[in-house]
PDB file of all heavy atoms in Angstrom:
ATOM      1  N   GLY K 646      -2.464  -4.498 -13.481  1.00  0.00           N
ATOM      2  CA  GLY K 646      -3.269  -4.664 -14.570  1.00  0.00           C
ATOM      3  C   GLY K 646      -4.409  -5.556 -14.158  1.00  0.00           C
ATOM      4  O   GLY K 646      -5.231  -5.904 -15.003  1.00  0.00           O
ATOM      5  N   LEU K 647      -4.520  -5.973 -12.917  1.00  0.00           N
ATOM      6  CA  LEU K 647      -5.632  -6.859 -12.570  1.00  0.00           C
ATOM      7  C   LEU K 647      -6.613  -6.000 -11.745  1.00  0.00           C
ATOM      8  O   LEU K 647      -6.242  -4.995 -11.185  1.00  0.00           O
ATOM      9  CB  LEU K 647      -5.048  -8.071 -11.743  1.00  0.00           C
ATOM     10  CG  LEU K 647      -4.188  -8.964 -12.417  1.00  0.00           C
ATOM     11  CD1 LEU K 647      -3.786 -10.159 -11.583  1.00  0.00           C
ATOM     12  CD2 LEU K 647      -4.820  -9.441 -13.726  1.00  0.00           C
ATOM     13  N   SER K 648      -7.726  -6.627 -11.804  1.00  0.00           N
ATOM     14  CA  SER K 648      -8.876  -5.841 -11.081  1.00  0.00           C
ATOM     15  C   SER K 648      -9.019  -6.323  -9.633  1.00  0.00           C
ATOM     16  O   SER K 648     -10.178  -6.694  -9.273  1.00  0.00           O
ATOM     17  CB  SER K 648      -9.996  -6.018 -11.999  1.00  0.00           C
ATOM     18  OG  SER K 648     -10.442  -7.338 -11.984  1.00  0.00           O
ATOM     19  N   THR K 649      -8.044  -6.466  -8.887  1.00  0.00           N
ATOM     20  CA  THR K 649      -8.224  -6.809  -7.534  1.00  0.00           C
ATOM     21  C   THR K 649      -8.786  -5.578  -6.905  1.00  0.00           C
ATOM     22  O   THR K 649      -8.845  -4.496  -7.428  1.00  0.00           O
ATOM     23  CB  THR K 649      -6.971  -7.130  -6.936  1.00  0.00           C
ATOM     24  OG1 THR K 649      -6.005  -6.060  -6.940  1.00  0.00           O
ATOM     25  CG2 THR K 649      -6.326  -8.333  -7.605  1.00  0.00           C
ATOM     26  N   SER K 650      -9.269  -5.832  -5.764  1.00  0.00           N
ATOM     27  CA  SER K 650      -9.861  -4.720  -5.036  1.00  0.00           C
ATOM     28  C   SER K 650      -8.948  -3.553  -4.710  1.00  0.00           C
ATOM     29  O   SER K 650      -9.222  -2.498  -4.830  1.00  0.00           O
ATOM     30  CB  SER K 650     -10.419  -5.245  -3.621  1.00  0.00           C
ATOM     31  OG  SER K 650      -9.372  -5.851  -2.864  1.00  0.00           O
ATOM     32  N   ASP K 651      -7.653  -4.074  -4.417  1.00  0.00           N
ATOM     33  CA  ASP K 651      -6.669  -2.988  -4.161  1.00  0.00           C
ATOM     34  C   ASP K 651      -6.309  -2.231  -5.580  1.00  0.00           C
ATOM     35  O   ASP K 651      -6.258  -1.102  -5.676  1.00  0.00           O
ATOM     36  CB  ASP K 651      -5.395  -3.574  -3.628  1.00  0.00           C
ATOM     37  CG  ASP K 651      -5.307  -3.223  -2.164  1.00  0.00           C
ATOM     38  OD1 ASP K 651      -6.311  -2.768  -1.605  1.00  0.00           O
ATOM     39  OD2 ASP K 651      -4.246  -3.333  -1.621  1.00  0.00           O
ATOM     40  N   ALA K 652      -6.142  -3.054  -6.446  1.00  0.00           N
ATOM     41  CA  ALA K 652      -5.902  -2.509  -7.737  1.00  0.00           C
ATOM     42  C   ALA K 652      -6.978  -1.607  -8.216  1.00  0.00           C
ATOM     43  O   ALA K 652      -6.743  -0.710  -8.903  1.00  0.00           O
ATOM     44  CB  ALA K 652      -5.710  -3.636  -8.749  1.00  0.00           C
ATOM     45  N   ALA K 653      -8.163  -2.043  -7.965  1.00  0.00           N
ATOM     46  CA  ALA K 653      -9.186  -1.102  -8.292  1.00  0.00           C
ATOM     47  C   ALA K 653      -9.274   0.229  -7.686  1.00  0.00           C
ATOM     48  O   ALA K 653      -9.565   1.204  -8.152  1.00  0.00           O
ATOM     49  CB  ALA K 653     -10.631  -1.799  -7.955  1.00  0.00           C
ATOM     50  N   SER K 654      -8.813   0.129  -6.397  1.00  0.00           N
ATOM     51  CA  SER K 654      -8.669   1.539  -5.712  1.00  0.00           C
ATOM     52  C   SER K 654      -7.468   2.249  -6.201  1.00  0.00           C
ATOM     53  O   SER K 654      -7.400   3.449  -6.097  1.00  0.00           O
ATOM     54  CB  SER K 654      -8.560   1.214  -4.251  1.00  0.00           C
ATOM     55  OG  SER K 654      -7.403   0.520  -3.903  1.00  0.00           O
ATOM     56  N   ARG K 655      -6.474   1.520  -6.803  1.00  0.00           N
ATOM     57  CA  ARG K 655      -5.331   2.260  -7.225  1.00  0.00           C
ATOM     58  C   ARG K 655      -4.968   1.559  -8.529  1.00  0.00           C
ATOM     59  O   ARG K 655      -3.991   0.934  -8.624  1.00  0.00           O
ATOM     60  CB  ARG K 655      -4.136   2.087  -6.192  1.00  0.00           C
ATOM     61  CG  ARG K 655      -2.860   2.919  -6.310  1.00  0.00           C
ATOM     62  CD  ARG K 655      -2.000   2.751  -5.241  1.00  0.00           C
ATOM     63  NE  ARG K 655      -1.673   1.415  -5.042  1.00  0.00           N
ATOM     64  CZ  ARG K 655      -0.778   0.663  -5.589  1.00  0.00           C
ATOM     65  NH1 ARG K 655       0.010   1.211  -6.480  1.00  0.00           N
ATOM     66  NH2 ARG K 655      -0.481  -0.568  -5.196  1.00  0.00           N
ATOM     67  N   PRO K 656      -5.749   1.853  -9.489  1.00  0.00           N
ATOM     68  CA  PRO K 656      -5.519   1.127 -10.673  1.00  0.00           C
ATOM     69  C   PRO K 656      -4.370   1.672 -11.413  1.00  0.00           C
ATOM     70  O   PRO K 656      -3.930   2.821 -11.328  1.00  0.00           O
ATOM     71  CB  PRO K 656      -6.790   1.412 -11.571  1.00  0.00           C
ATOM     72  CG  PRO K 656      -7.341   2.692 -11.042  1.00  0.00           C
ATOM     73  CD  PRO K 656      -6.916   2.729  -9.562  1.00  0.00           C
ATOM     74  N   ARG K 657      -3.748   0.840 -12.281  1.00  0.00           N
ATOM     75  CA  ARG K 657      -2.601   1.353 -13.088  1.00  0.00           C
ATOM     76  C   ARG K 657      -2.639   0.504 -14.270  1.00  0.00           C
ATOM     77  O   ARG K 657      -2.812  -0.705 -14.323  1.00  0.00           O
ATOM     78  CB  ARG K 657      -1.252   1.152 -12.413  1.00  0.00           C
ATOM     79  CG  ARG K 657      -0.216   1.885 -13.135  1.00  0.00           C
ATOM     80  CD  ARG K 657       1.113   1.939 -12.194  1.00  0.00           C
ATOM     81  NE  ARG K 657       1.443   0.303 -12.153  1.00  0.00           N
ATOM     82  CZ  ARG K 657       1.977  -0.374 -13.128  1.00  0.00           C
ATOM     83  NH1 ARG K 657       2.199   0.247 -14.288  1.00  0.00           N
ATOM     84  NH2 ARG K 657       2.323  -1.627 -12.980  1.00  0.00           N
ATOM     85  N   LYS K 658      -2.371   1.259 -15.352  1.00  0.00           N
ATOM     86  CA  LYS K 658      -2.416   0.401 -16.642  1.00  0.00           C
ATOM     87  C   LYS K 658      -1.179  -0.396 -16.895  1.00  0.00           C
ATOM     88  O   LYS K 658      -0.079  -0.074 -16.427  1.00  0.00           O
ATOM     89  CB  LYS K 658      -2.515   1.532 -17.760  1.00  0.00           C
ATOM     90  CG  LYS K 658      -3.915   2.264 -17.762  1.00  0.00           C
ATOM     91  CD  LYS K 658      -3.884   3.281 -19.000  1.00  0.00           C
ATOM     92  CE  LYS K 658      -5.185   3.911 -19.198  1.00  0.00           C
ATOM     93  NZ  LYS K 658      -5.156   4.772 -20.210  1.00  0.00           N
TER      94      LYS K 658
END
Side-chain angles (χ1 to χ4, degrees):
Chain K
L647 295 184
S648 59
T649 61
S650 60
D651 255 14
S654 61
R655 191 172 53 86
R657 192 178 59 76
K658 291 182 177 180

